[in-house]
Amino acid sequence: MNKPLDSLVIADTAAQVGIGRPHESAHLHVAGAAPYVDDLPELAGTLHCALGLSPVAHGRLAGMTLDGLLSVPGVVTILTAADIPGVNDCGSIVHDDSILADGEVRYLGQPVFAVIARTREVARRVAARAKEALKIEPLPAVIDPLEAHQKAQYVLPPMHLVRGDARAAIERAPRRLTGTFEVGGQEQFYLEGQISYAIPRENDGMLVHCSTQHPSEMQHLVAHALGLHAHHVQVECRRMGGGFGGKESQSALFACVAAVAARKLGRPVKLRLDRDDDFLITGRRHCFRYAYEVGYDDDGRVLGAEVTMVSRAGHSADLSGPVMTRALCHFDNAYWLPDVAMHGYCAKTNTQSNTAFRGFGGPQGAIAIENILDSIARTLGKDALDVRRLNFYGQDQSTPYGQPVTDNVIRELVAELEATSDYRARREAVAAFNATSPVLKRGLALTPVKFGISFNVKHFNQAGALVHVYTDGSILVNHGGTEMGQGLNTKVAQVVAHELGVPFESVRVTATDTHKIANTSATAASTGSDLNGKAAQDAARQIRERLAECAAALFGAEASAVRFSGGMVNVAGRSLPFAELVTKAYHERVQLWSDGFYATPGLSWNRETLQGRPFYYFAYGAAVSEVLLDTLTGEWRLLRADVLHDVGRALNPAIDNGQVVGAFIQGMGWLTMEELVWHPQTGKLVTHAPSTYKIPTANDCPADFRVRLFDNTNAEDSIHRSKAVGEPPLLLPFSVFYALRDAVSAVGGHRVVPPLSAPATGEALLRAIEAVRGGA
């Protein structure tokens, strides 16, 4: 039976997985006692850093006059690219991203120099005077990704993913649809901004406390910048105040600058951005532009499709290549596309280098096919749900990149949601309301999700963990994942507690540390629990087996007969506390710690042909949204949302529900209100603060919000047969966007396909309404 949100009570049971349990740091969060990087006590002599930013979008750096800035009281030094002892690069994949600009500035907001001062206020005040210190000869700037596409200006070569003969299928089809569409980018807007605190250690060592999703990459890049080896650099992250992908690769610049300054001066250096600088320096979700042509039959079945996707990569490659790859691999979403041709272009623009954001290109890929199917349905006068269902994957079908869809539950899941949400009755009620309401219009939509889980790059799908059992029975765990509020440490602790048969409270998870777990992958791609949970399980299982062998030897039993549960160990008809057995095992010189390792099996990927099995499994979901739109003002409200999402056998249903709810609202913000605007001449991001960039608030949540977890078991051997929950639910609010499109369509009596783009801001909605009225 599916579990509604209000039924996820906290359970006190011997089983430690599959039950709702509070976040392990919840008591600290609510009390304001959870320390983040900026809360760490500053060591004596700590200096502060601020960055001087380019005031132009593109130009040649002809010189710098820094004497006036250096003379300001409190300023210790100013660093430029020439002060970097190692490599002036922090590119994640392609080495095309300088730490500090050298020779050329490529976007407005690019760091050119770093001011080191005794106080943060002085450093910021002096860095803000960058314009007077920099001599830059302006060069032509390209701000619009379509202009870059027209000039064939890309950060990476174009990508093409093809199955069959799309052109022939389109030409044979009885009906055709051509069109364009666009979705905007999205700022991560993590509550804790980018921050690094670098502390010099003995013998060229460097400790960096960094708010990052990828400590190992920070370790390597800092080492390269310092001209040292990886073993010289220790990166630690206890927790982040949000990440959402924005701290996967782009925390590197700040870690490197802080570390270079700390090494040069021999003193601790902290670099903490304010919100405006964070906006101006760092990248975000890629905006996408689409041009498509589709052939389909009279029922709405897609016969052939060709789509061109152009993303705004920004001035450097960063993670734009993998983002585009995932976008191409998710264009199919939940649908069988027999003949399809997809073309991806990562446009190079003189703007911030865009990067990872929850979904990592998957949402941008999937929304294109949703827009196509919604348009086909409106052209045919059919309910969009019926057209979507007609195109669902069936049995024994494969994705365009060659992966069989063997775990498909989308038909059952959508059928259940259609029934529990009263979709058909509400569709009739919406039509009846609209027929008598000339100004206020309601809209309704049901959209599905199929999302692949794994890194597209095979070697990232690995993880390590350490588990220590102390003689008092308490347990310490360290793993390679990072905690950013998503509950990863809670789930890993549950896994270890379950494996050793002890209460959850017996397990403590420590800060992610590159000196403990080496060569970790980023906590990204929704793989945190899958990878690190399995690694921790492996370590804990080795300890349990050693303890079982010890107990068997001590009490004359078979090791296979020893049972661990509820903090007790049952062996040979007797029961003893876990801690007592641990003490006995210590006296018997049994190893009470272990490392664990996990590598996701069965993955393959050819980056040249874009073929293989890049995903271990798929997560599924669907949502129904109903909106009320004021056609005179463009204002709207989400009246009700029904969500049914597949998380397999949930490790922690309470946390998983929270992830679904949060992703839904965050995705709704992306598609309806979060608008990024660059000045077309200067290239300045003008929406660089909360005053101009609007994210959802509690008031935007629907009063009637029904979230349920689909009753399903992962077909693959994931951790306790659970499924990832970080990214897939972000696609659920497609239903909000298409409900708004449905409401706009009602203005013209559903006779015109609304030209609505995302984000569907009030202005965008009014433009679409006017187009519908004009077309009708």
Side-chain angles (χ1 to χ4, degrees), residues 23-36 239-240 483-487:
H23 191 288
E24 49 93 25
S25 294
H27 62 292
L28 300 175
H29 294 156
V30 298
Y36 297 86
R239 61 172 58 83
M240 287 167 276
E483 175 65 49
M484 61 197 90
Q486 84 279 37

Side-chain angles (χ1 to χ4, degrees), residues 80 266 308 317 349 588 637 640 672 737 752:
T80 66
T308 295
T349 57
E588 295 297 321
R637 284 192 295 124
R640 174 178 165 183
T672 64
F737 179 81
V752 177

Side-chain angles (χ1 to χ4, degrees), residues 480-538:
T482 53
E483 175 65 49
M484 61 197 90
Q486 84 279 37
L488 172 59
N489 286 348
T490 308
K491 289 184 174 182
V492 170
Q494 287 180 271
V495 168
V496 171
H498 184 85
E499 205 65 30
L500 294 175
V502 299
F504 175 81
E505 293 72 21
S506 296
V507 181
R508 181 182 180 93
V509 181
T510 59
T512 310
D513 187 336
T514 57
H515 274 21
K516 294 179 180 177
I517 306 295
N519 309 317
T520 60
S521 297
T523 305
S526 302
T527 61
S529 296
D530 282 6
L531 295 178
N532 297 286
K534 275 285 194 178
Q537 182 187 52
D538 178 43

